[in-house]
Amino acid sequence: MKKTLTVLCAVLFCAFDMYAKVTLPQLFQQGMVVQRGKPIPVWGKADAGERIVVTLNKKQAATTAAADGRWRVDLPAMKAGGPYTIEVRSERGEVREIGDVLVGDVWLCSGQSNIDVTVERVYPWYTKAIDTYENTQIRLFRVQNETDTHGVRDDIRPTSINWKPVSKQNAWLFSAVGYFLGRCQFDKTGVPQGIIVNSWGGTPIEAWISADSLQQTFPQMIDQVRLYQNDDYVRTQQQANALMNQHWNQMLDEKDPGVKGNFTSADYDDSQWEQVSQYAQDWAMSGGRGIVGSLWLRQHVTIDKAHAGQPARLLLGTLFDADKTYVNGRLVGTTGYQYPPRRYDLPEGLLREGDNVITVRFINKYGVVHFIKEKPYLIAFGDDRQSLNPLPQDIIPLSETWRFHKGAEMPGCPSGGASLQNLPTTLYNAVLHPLAPYALSGIVWYQGESNTGNPQPYEQLLTMMIGNWRSLWQQPDLPFVVVQLANHMAPSDGPQNSNWARLREAQRQVAKKMGNVELASAIDLGETVDIHPLRKREVAERISLCFDRSVYKNKKVRLMPEVVSAVSDGSSVTLTFDQPLRPCADLYEFEVAGQDGRFQNATARADGNRVIISSPVAQPCRVRHAWKDNPIRLNAYAETGLPVGPFDMQLPLCKE
């Protein structure tokens, strides 16, 4: 009898298990925001032929799962509101409920590292604004990074930031641009905001475009992907790379005299170490090349009685490349690569009265170890010690002089494997395609740094990508805002043959030619020494202005000034803009060229909605503005405060 019952239970269990559960994509979770004013797609999987009924806010839609189990309904457009519950019911009686659903505006932010830059990174620039702000009507969703070389996926991976309401804690590791955009849009509309961030640092635009689109014009890119469709090869290469890194680091520690000799100790005698300037490079080089391996620097700082024992923050600017930093023998922070700022908190009781020692162990696998100029190097005290805007009031600046000791020289660390996220189509397949057809209000695209090495095809690629995504969402006029690359790298007094300027021009041309594509310039929001500038709230505010025009159709909004006409009388050039500019007698970063195409600096002035340029060449044929990596002297602004962006244009009556 017992055996019979056991067999019967097993049969019943197997029969029940034959039915697939009704599943929904990762985007459909508690706290989600769905788009107002448009049909609301809801989709998923179930048994083939099974009837599915979806209900939201007393609206209902039904469908039957296709032969492959896929199903989709489109609920009718709704006004902003909530919270509501989405109910998905199968004919077998299975019910899925998603609570706390808001109806409002949904924005997709995508691109590379400048969308990735987190609230934590920019926090010192906006401490009060972030500390005091919470809003349950703004929800944050972060797409988890993933790649696929084989084809498109149905869904994304689970993520830890899934429709969380805005607070300092929930937003801490979220995109700063996305966070501030949500705040801007809520302030303007008063309706719920959903921010979906889908980005990956260092990725080129071609990674975000479908294989079908690239195949038509750039078939060699698809061939590149096919090389990495052997999963065994990719896995083996990645494992080998990880093992080599592990072995290299182990060898380094075994050879490094600082590890054996305890260079980190507060009591270590470093009096015989060489004294070096942090901005020199000779100490970090050997045989004309950067030292690969480890290098040690120590600095003694005197702390008075009033500051002894207080909690503090050590700012070590930005370093190249990896570091482990110790204070009085205790590890206070470690950073694995060059870009993140070194902001290391010193707990109460660590700093002592009198002599204190900061020890930095650099670990370098390529290039030359160095300190980045124009960054803060100090110890900050007090309640405002986390602020950079303004700097804390109670600080002890660090010296530019350090005591130096070479650690261990190593051979270069072989690197293998594939950075699949940098291959064409891999991100479109894994993390973009699965998001459609989730209804959106608009898309932000902030990318281009990784394509500056070859900017020539960027205009074509960006045009292709926007069309590609609009086709995927089946919205031919889906609003896009393209964030133009910020100013970066060393300034130049004279004309410059700049790939960064060429890529900005490609972005401008796409916005000019394609409908419902706006350009948000960051040309005056960048940093000379940091490819990840901190002023992300200002970037978000400019994006929001663009959406005022493209989404909300506010024709009164003035965006960046645009040239509407240009004339030349042979000795001067007059540019007429679509709006008044700030009066200025001495404008910089304008250049003109004659028929020979050689550009020269030109003096210019702003008068109303015109810029009058005095030409240094007879018969000027071209004029351009801010055509540099870092046009730091740019001072042509609209009365609204937006800059005159970069451009290059042919003048009338001149041959191409």
Side-chain angles (χ1 to χ4, degrees), residues 64-80:
T64 300
D68 61 359
R70 300 172 193 267
W71 58 267
R72 170 183 168 177
V73 300
D74 289 323
L75 293 164
M78 301 179 190
K79 294 181 179 180

Side-chain angles (χ1 to χ4, degrees), residues 59 64 69 182 202 207 219 228 235 260 319 334 344 452-453 461 506 626 654:
K59 306 293 184 182
T64 300
Y228 292 92
R235 183 168 51 253
K260 299 175 183 177
L319 308 175
T334 181
Y344 298 145
T452 54
L461 287 168
C654 279

Side-chain angles (χ1 to χ4, degrees), residues 65-206:
D68 61 359
R70 300 172 193 267
W71 58 267
R72 170 183 168 177
V73 300
D74 289 323
L75 293 164
M78 301 179 190
K79 294 181 179 180
Y84 305 118
T85 297
I86 292 179
E87 181 187 273
V88 181
R89 183 181 295 272
S90 73
E91 62 182 341
R92 290 186 290 108
E94 183 183 353
V95 179
R96 294 283 306 276
E97 288 189 347
I98 303 171
D100 193 23
V101 177
L102 301 179
V103 181
D105 291 331
V106 182
W107 312 95
L108 173 61
C109 301
S110 195
Q112 58 178 112
S113 56
N114 271 299
I115 281 286
D116 265 346
V117 166
T118 62
V119 168
E120 182 274 334
R121 178 79 72 88
V122 307
Y123 173 71
W125 205 254
Y126 310 104
T127 52
K128 292 182 180 179
I130 294 170
D131 280 340
T132 58
Y133 192 83
E134 293 187 5
N135 192 332
T136 60
Q137 297 290 292
I138 305 174
R139 309 287 175 83
L140 311 176
F141 189 99
R142 180 66 168 91
V143 177
Q144 186 71 16
N145 288 345
E146 184 62 283
T147 62
D148 199 311
T149 59
H150 297 282
V152 297
R153 294 192 178 185
D154 292 331
D155 202 1
I156 56 176
R157 292 170 55 192
T159 177
S160 60
I161 303 180
N162 46 9
W163 297 117
K164 291 186 176 180
V166 161
S167 66
K168 179 181 176 181
Q169 180 180 0
N170 288 342
W172 196 240
L173 298 180
F174 193 75
S175 160
V177 170
Y179 166 83
F180 283 118
L181 177 63
R183 290 180 55 166
C184 283
Q185 298 305 96
F186 182 82
D187 289 345
K188 288 181 178 181
T189 66
V191 307
Q193 301 294 314
I195 308 294
I196 302 171
V197 169
N198 184 19
S199 55
W200 196 327
T203 54
I205 190 172
E206 55 266 28

Side-chain angles (χ1 to χ4, degrees), residues 279-447:
Y279 296 127
Q281 288 196 329
D282 54 340
W283 54 270
M285 302 182 69
S286 177
R289 303 179 66 179
I291 295 172
V292 172
S294 61
L295 302 92
W296 293 85
L297 294 177
R298 284 168 60 95
Q299 179 168 156
H300 292 256
V301 180
T302 300
I303 301 294
D304 60 24
K305 184 176 181 179
H307 291 96
Q310 288 191 20
R313 170 165 272 207
L314 172 64
L315 299 185
L316 279 179
T318 308
L319 308 175
F320 183 95
D321 188 35
D323 75 284
K324 291 184 177 181
T325 297
Y326 304 79
V327 172
N328 292 338
R330 180 187 295 188
L331 180 67
V332 296
T334 181
T335 304
Y337 65 111
Q338 64 175 304
Y339 291 118
R342 273 55 169 184
R343 304 170 187 154
Y344 298 145
D345 289 318
L346 310 184
E348 185 176 355
L350 179 57
L351 294 176
R352 59 197 186 187
E353 185 177 357
D355 185 56
N356 294 259
V357 184
I358 302 169
T359 307
V360 181
R361 185 196 188 204
F362 284 95
I363 299 174
N364 188 45
K365 294 183 178 180
Y366 70 99
V368 181
V369 163
H370 59 277
F371 292 72
I372 306 299
K373 293 183 177 181
E374 300 179 27
K375 293 290 184 179
Y377 295 87
L378 53 88
I379 301 175
F381 299 87
D383 293 339
D384 64 345
R385 62 183 179 274
Q386 296 193 1
S387 174
L388 289 177
N389 183 31
L391 281 174
Q393 294 184 353
D394 190 1
I395 65 172
I396 297 177
L398 299 184
S399 170
E400 294 181 7
T401 301
W402 295 73
R403 297 182 181 184
F404 164 70
H405 195 293
K406 189 187 329 183
E409 287 198 60
M410 290 282 292
C413 182
S415 59
S419 298
L420 298 182
Q421 74 274 16
N422 296 328
L423 295 176
T425 80
T426 55
L427 298 183
Y428 176 90
N429 290 342
V431 295
L432 193 281
H433 183 273
L435 301 184
Y438 200 88
L440 304 173
S441 197
I443 294 176
V444 178
W445 178 250
Y446 192 171
Q447 187 277 340

Side-chain angles (χ1 to χ4, degrees), residues 112-114 117 121 338-339 375 446 449-450 452 486-489 500 526-534 536:
Q112 58 178 112
S113 56
N114 271 299
V117 166
R121 178 79 72 88
Q338 64 175 304
Y339 291 118
K375 293 290 184 179
Y446 192 171
E449 296 91 342
S450 289
T452 54
N487 52 307
H488 177 51
M489 296 185 290
W500 279 61
E527 296 183 30
T528 298
V529 296
D530 199 336
I531 200 171
H532 304 121
L534 299 183
K536 297 304 187 209

Side-chain angles (χ1 to χ4, degrees), residues 613-627:
I613 305 169
S614 298
S615 176
V617 300
Q619 300 302 322
C621 285
R622 298 194 74 85
V623 61
R624 65 189 188 187
H625 174 249
W627 195 266

